[in-house]
């Protein structure tokens, strides 16, 4: 999701969904709690906007879709609710 002048920025909802999907993929789709480093998620998303990433993580934690460790977050994991949300938002 690297932003270039010719590509529009994703909406906050799209970015949040991309974040949850990236965590799910980086953890090998294993059941929670399977942790991954935020740096790996940032690389997978292709963004260098760490502030936006941290804000999305805080929102996902508030909605109980993610758990995080550290402030700012260093590691994150999906919750059971996060996995359920992904199943509804992105049926496979």
């Amino acid at each position: 999701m690297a932003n270039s002048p010719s590509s529009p920025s994703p909406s906050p909802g799209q970015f949040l969904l991309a974040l949850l999907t990236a965590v799910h993929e980086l953890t090998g789709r294993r059941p929670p709690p399977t942790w991954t480093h935020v740096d790996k998620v940032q690389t997978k998303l292709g963004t260098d906007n760490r502030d936006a990433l941290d804000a999305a993580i805080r929102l996902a934690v508030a909605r109980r879709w993610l758990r995080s460790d550290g402030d700012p977050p260093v590691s994150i994991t999906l919750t059971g609710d996060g996995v359920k949300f992904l199943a509804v938002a992105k049926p496979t």
Side-chain angles (χ1 to χ4, degrees), residues 6-91:
S6 62
S7 68
S9 297
S11 74
Q14 290 169 325
F15 189 75
L16 190 57
L17 185 57
L19 165 65
L20 297 175
T21 300
V23 173
H24 199 51
E25 291 173 0
L26 286 167
T27 58
R29 300 182 181 272
R30 292 186 298 277
T34 305
W35 295 82
T36 189
H37 288 275
V38 173
D39 291 344
K40 289 182 180 179
V41 175
Q42 185 173 1
T43 299
K44 181 144 184 83
L45 292 173
T47 183
D48 46 3
N49 188 342
R50 182 60 191 256
D51 290 339
L53 180 58
D54 288 346
I57 291 169
R58 283 192 301 276
L59 179 60
V61 168
R63 292 187 178 181
R64 303 178 64 114
W65 296 332
L66 287 179
R67 286 177 45 210
S68 67
D69 184 45
D71 188 18
V74 176
S75 297
I76 52 179
T77 182
L78 281 171
T79 64
D81 288 344
V83 172
K84 289 176 192 171
F85 174 77
L86 273 177
V88 171
K90 289 187 82 164

